Amino acid sequence: MTFVDLRKQLELDLEWRQKEMRLLYNMLSNIDDDEEKRSYCKALIVMLYSHFEGFCRLAFSIYIDIINQESLRCSQVNVNLAVISLGDIFQGINDPNKNCSFFRDSPPNDKWKRFFRRAYFLAEMKNLLDEPINLTEEDIKTDSNLKIPVLSTTLFHLGFPPESFDEYAGEISNLVDRRNDYAHGETKPGIKKEEYERFE
C-alpha cells in the first residue's frame, strides 16, 4: 500500500463520517421546540465523539497494517515502533518469571535471572534489530475513552509527536467528558445548538 492509498482510505472514512454528521445536524432545522433542540444536540455530541474515536482507531489500524505489509526490520523503523514490536522481550526482561520464547536458556541460579536476561538481550541485540516488525491491534489499545493522555500515548508509541493534538486538548477532554455524562445519564439537560457547533 502506498501513501496515496493510505490517504485515500482515511479521506473516504472521514467523508462518510462528515456526511452522516451533516445529515444529523441538518435535521435540527425540523425541530421547533427549544428544549427538544437541546436534547437532540445532546445526542449529536454522543455521535460526534463516536466518530472522533472511530476515525482515530481506524487511522492507527491502517498505519500499523501498512507498517506490517512493508516487511520492515526493527533497524529500519523509528525506535518506538521497534520497542512495540519487541514488547514481549521487554516484558520478559522486566518480569524474569514471565515465559518468553526469546529467553530459551536459564541462568544457573534463579537469583540471576533478571541480570541473565538483560545480558542475553544485549548479546542478541544485533540479531533483534534484524527482526521483522510485527505490530498488532493490541499495540494500539486506546482504552474506552480517547482522552488526550490516551491519544498522546498512542501517538508516541507509533513514533509520532505526542503533542500533535495539544492545541485541542481542552476541546477533546470536554467532548469526552460530555459524551460520558450524556451516555451514562449523569447529565440530563441538553445543550444549545451554538455549544454543539463549538464541539464540532
Side-chain angles (χ1 to χ4, degrees):
M1 182 182 291
T2 65
F3 175 75
V4 174
D5 296 327
L6 164 65
R7 189 178 181 96
K8 185 176 180 183
Q9 277 194 43
L10 293 177
E11 285 174 350
L12 285 172
D13 188 74
L14 194 57
E15 185 181 335
W16 79 260
R17 291 179 189 281
Q18 290 174 329
K19 184 177 179 182
E20 183 171 286
M21 288 309 300
R22 248 190 330 271
L23 175 69
L24 294 170
Y25 175 80
N26 289 341
M27 292 173 76
L28 259 177
S29 60
N30 299 328
I31 303 171
D32 294 324
D33 182 76
D34 284 344
E35 189 63 37
E36 287 181 16
K37 269 189 181 177
R38 284 194 288 274
S39 289
Y40 187 78
C41 285
K42 185 168 79 168
L44 284 176
I45 286 287
V46 175
M47 280 303 294
L48 183 65
Y49 171 77
S50 296
H51 280 304
F52 165 68
E53 182 182 303
F55 179 77
C56 288
R57 285 178 187 267
L58 178 80
F60 294 145
S61 182
I62 291 171
Y63 180 71
I64 66 168
D65 284 348
I66 288 173
I67 296 293
N68 287 336
Q69 288 171 21
E70 291 295 311
S71 301
L72 299 168
R73 306 282 170 195
C74 286
S75 60
Q76 296 174 297
V77 297
N78 68 60
V79 71
N80 302 41
L81 289 175
V83 168
I84 290 174
S85 189
L86 301 173
D88 279 349
I89 294 170
F90 285 110
Q91 285 179 12
I93 293 171
N94 292 338
D95 180 2
N97 297 315
K98 178 180 170 34
N99 287 331
C100 181
S101 60
F102 176 72
F103 302 107
R104 291 179 284 281
D105 300 325
S106 295
N109 185 322
D110 268 358
K111 289 190 303 188
W112 303 335
K113 205 170 189 179
R114 187 181 303 257
F115 182 85
F116 175 82
R117 285 190 171 192
R118 290 175 181 170
Y120 186 77
F121 172 79
L122 281 179
E124 291 293 316
M125 192 180 313
K126 187 177 179 195
N127 294 331
L128 286 174
L129 290 174
D130 202 39
E131 285 290 308
I133 287 290
N134 184 27
L135 307 174
T136 68
E137 294 291 324
E138 286 297 306
D139 296 323
I140 54 162
K141 252 200 303 200
T142 51
D143 298 331
S144 56
N145 290 309
L146 201 53
K147 292 189 174 192
I148 280 293
V150 175
L151 187 56
S152 298
T153 298
T154 304
L155 288 168
F156 180 69
H157 284 175
L158 295 177
F160 294 104
E163 67 280 355
S164 296
F165 289 91
D166 280 2
E167 72 176 287
Y168 306 108
E171 291 89 340
I172 291 172
S173 295
N174 203 357
L175 175 64
V176 175
D177 291 342
R178 284 291 184 100
R179 174 263 182 194
N180 288 343
D181 288 349
Y182 293 153
H184 303 152
E186 293 170 19
T187 300
K188 293 191 174 92
I191 61 169
K192 291 183 178 178
K193 173 184 169 186
E194 295 74 23
E195 193 174 357
Y196 166 75
E197 287 169 349
R198 284 198 298 273
F199 277 113
E200 189 180 47

